[in-house]
């Protein structure tokens, strides 16, 4: 796998900031990256919303399209940078008039509508803190996050408020204002009209002095491994959002960029709002559901040039147009504007990269990062060699390392020291040297948990990886998911990726099931592509296929069919839940589960 490589259809020939950097034509430091941004007029600090919106207006680019918001029914609202600056200033004035000041928390529970973007940017202009919540969360997860975040203002719709918040409002004493977007024929007590307040507010707003260390965003992690943590991000993060979008996503002002992640997840904020706007691109926002035809249609009709999505979405497209059959669906759309696809959130199986090359004729660039890191850390960059199955290499300004592990599977800390594994191919905990601008500044109300993330000058990511001789990082699994079997440490990703190469398999989740003889045996849960029946013959065939590829020590002993693998709302397979269900253990925190209500 390590030796296989792709350069992507023509992109290698296109000079990017990164190829310039690699050839030594461009130097980089975070301080230089900081200089690329303006700062508030009069040297009054650094504010994300100013860099994302107002700066372009001052520079005379206000007529450019900032957003093209596509509603579920396909109506499009186009908003220029000037208009976005005005709307966000109005919302900042609304907050000020409500007595909501710097540092106060404002949350959204909204689908991807224009008002969501107005709210985020207006909140940041007012130096309040934005906490985006995923609208498909059920009442309990919403309440939990509103309480944890000490949210003072909630922006939502009448329907979402009635269904998810109204019944629990008396348990949320800190929630002072609920602003309702859109029609509210019979307004609920304790709510105000967002549109009414906005209409009455002035569109002139002077952003107050903003310290780059002022808290800007409160982002809950996906909850894949347990209770979601509230990661704190500050205004300085915008330096990293901007620089990494230049390197890993190769954004230029003429780009039409579409990020499918909901702002309820960090990707949907860092790269679904902030980073692209700082580059002055046109951002496509689609409120529609996952649907292959709709997505191809949006890519084609909007002439999207760079698309940022997740492995779960790519696997959905693969299910519809498998390799080896004529790609009728994608071929019926004109995707010629698209330069490349980037993917994040979960390991990107090599099969997915090959599929992209064969069926779409496009490179798919894997990116690795976390809610905590705030921005892309490791990537198969635009314009460089892509190694399918690898996350890529650390971006400029990012220092990564692989640390030796102890018995618990996490980095071994002895006398406050860790041991960096230098030999190529050695597996260990992926760690990063803190110091980049979007590094989280804490977990809200969980100081201990935050401190436990650091040792000997490293930030410990909780992921297991190996680094090859050329500096490419390969994901093995989350430390909690790694399987110990007969003296082997087995990464679920490798097994899942192999299973996906079987023609019948659409997706896979692999766990270790305790076994008295070997410690743990590998068990795989797989979902099938259309046209395949889940019977014992197929299970035997898949097992034999995996044994041939992986050898008997690593191949799954057992296969179970499951068309609905448990996933977080952000599309990650929840292996801990598969394991808990298998063993009849308590399911733990499932607030981020897809069907959680
Ligand atoms: P929680 O921390 O609450 O358990 P989470 O870790 O899933 O949830 P996020 O911050 O959204 O929350 O996800 C970051 C994690 O996602 C990474 O630590 C890694 O395990 C996984 N991940 C992200 N990108 C990649 C990638 N390209 N390859 C492999 N894994 C990835
Ligand atoms: Mg995590």
């Amino acid at each position: 796998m390590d030796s296989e490589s792709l350069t992507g259809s023509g992109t290698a020939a296109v000079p990017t900031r990164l190829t310039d950097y690699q050839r030594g034509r461009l130097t980089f430091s975070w301080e230089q990256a900081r200089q690329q941004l303006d700062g508030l007029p009069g040297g009054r600090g650094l504010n994300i919303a100013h860099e994302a919106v107002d700066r372009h207006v001052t520079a005379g680019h206000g007529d450019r399209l900032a957003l093209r918001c596509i509603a579920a029914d396909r109506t499009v609202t186009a908003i220029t940078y000037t208009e976005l600056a005005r709307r966000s200033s109005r919302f900042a004035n609304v907050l000020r008039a409500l007595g909501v000041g710097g540092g106060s928390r404002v949350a959204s529970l909204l689908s991807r509508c224009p008002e969501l973007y107005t709210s985020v940017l207006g909140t940041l202009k007012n130096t309040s803190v934005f906490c985006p919540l995923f609208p498909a969360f059920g009442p309990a997860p919403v309440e939990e996050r509103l309480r944890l975040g000490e949210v003072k203002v909630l922006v939502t719709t009448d329907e979402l408020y009635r269904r998810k918040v109204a019944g629990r409002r008396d348990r949320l004493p800190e929630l002072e204002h609920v602003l309702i977007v859109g029609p509210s024929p019979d307004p609920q007590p304790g709510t105000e009209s967002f549109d009414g307040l906005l209409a009455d507010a002035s569109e002139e707003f002077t952003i107050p002095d903003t310290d780059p260390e002022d808290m800007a965003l409160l982002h809950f992690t996906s909850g894949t491994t347990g209770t979601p943590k509230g990661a704190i991000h500050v205004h300085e993060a915008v330096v990293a959002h901007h620089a990494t979008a230049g390197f890993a996503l190769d954004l230029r002002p003429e780009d039409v960029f579409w990020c499918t992640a909901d702002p309820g997840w960090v990707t949907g904020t860092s790269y679904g709002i902030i980073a692209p706007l700082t580059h002055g691109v046109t951002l496509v926002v689609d409120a529609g559901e996952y649907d292959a035809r709709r997505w191809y249609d949006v890519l084609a009709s909007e002439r999207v040039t760079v698309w940022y999505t997740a492995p779960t979405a790519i696997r959905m497209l693969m299910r519809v147009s498998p390799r080896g059959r004529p790609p009728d669906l994608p071929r019926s759309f004109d995707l010629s504007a698209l330069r490349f696809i980037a993917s994040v959130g979960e390991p990107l199986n090599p099969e997915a990269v090959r599929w992209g090359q064969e069926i779409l004729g496009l490179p798919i660039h894997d990116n690795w990062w976390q809610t905590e890191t705030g921005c892309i850390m490791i990537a198969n960059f635009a314009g460089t060699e892509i190694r399918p199955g690898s996350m890529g290499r650390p971006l400029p300004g990012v220092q990564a390392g692989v640390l030796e592990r102890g018995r618990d599977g996490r980095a071994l800390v002895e006398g406050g020291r860790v041991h960096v594994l230098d030999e190529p191919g050695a597996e260990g905990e992926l760690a990063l040297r803190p110091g980049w601008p979007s590094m989280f500044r804490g977990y809200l109300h969980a100081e201990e948990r935050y401190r436990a993330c650091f040792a000997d000058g490293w930030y410990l990511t909780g992921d297991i990886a190996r680094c090859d001789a050329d500096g490419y990082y390969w994901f093995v699994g989350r430390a909690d998911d790694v399987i110990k079997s007969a003296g082997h440490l087995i990464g679920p990703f490798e097994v899942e990726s192999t299973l996906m190469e079987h023609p019948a398999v659409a997706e896979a989740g692999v766990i270790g099931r305790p076994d008295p003889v070997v410690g743990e045996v590998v068990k795989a849960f797989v979902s099938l592509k259309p046209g395949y029946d889940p019977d014992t013959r197929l299970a035997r065939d898949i097992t034999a296929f995996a044994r041939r590829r992986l050898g008997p020590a690593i191949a799954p002993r057992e296969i179970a069919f499951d068309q609905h693998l448990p996933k977080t709302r952000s599309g990650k397979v929840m292996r801990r839940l598969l394991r808990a269900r298998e063993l009849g253990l308590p399911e733990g925190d499932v607030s981020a589960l897809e069907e959680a209500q």
Side-chain angles (χ1 to χ4, degrees), residues 221-226 229 369-372 443 459 461-463 478 572:
T221 60
S222 290
T224 314
T225 51
K229 297 150 274 189
W369 58 292
Q370 306 180 306
T371 309
E372 289 86 344
Y443 288 129
Y459 163 67
T461 67
D463 285 344
R478 291 169 186 262
K572 298 163 192 256

Side-chain angles (χ1 to χ4, degrees), residues 145 219-229 231 265-267 308 311 343-349 365-374 378-380 389-392 430 443 449 459 461-464 474-481 493 568 570 572-576 592:
R145 287 160 178 78
H219 245 299
F220 287 98
T221 60
S222 290
T224 314
T225 51
T227 314
K229 297 150 274 189
W265 311 115
V266 71
T267 306
Y308 200 15
S343 163
V344 72
E346 266 214 305
L348 181 67
N349 315 88
H365 301 177
D366 193 12
N367 293 179
W368 177 92
W369 58 292
Q370 306 180 306
T371 309
E372 289 86 344
T373 70
I378 296 178
N380 278 286
S390 159
M391 310 189 283
L430 177 62
Y443 288 129
R449 219 170 167 185
Y459 163 67
T461 67
D463 285 344
I464 306 302
W474 300 75
F475 185 78
V476 174
R478 291 169 186 262
D480 299 349
D481 291 337
F493 173 51
T568 62
S570 51
K572 298 163 192 256
V573 176
M574 286 172 100
R575 294 175 193 82
R576 74 168 159 97

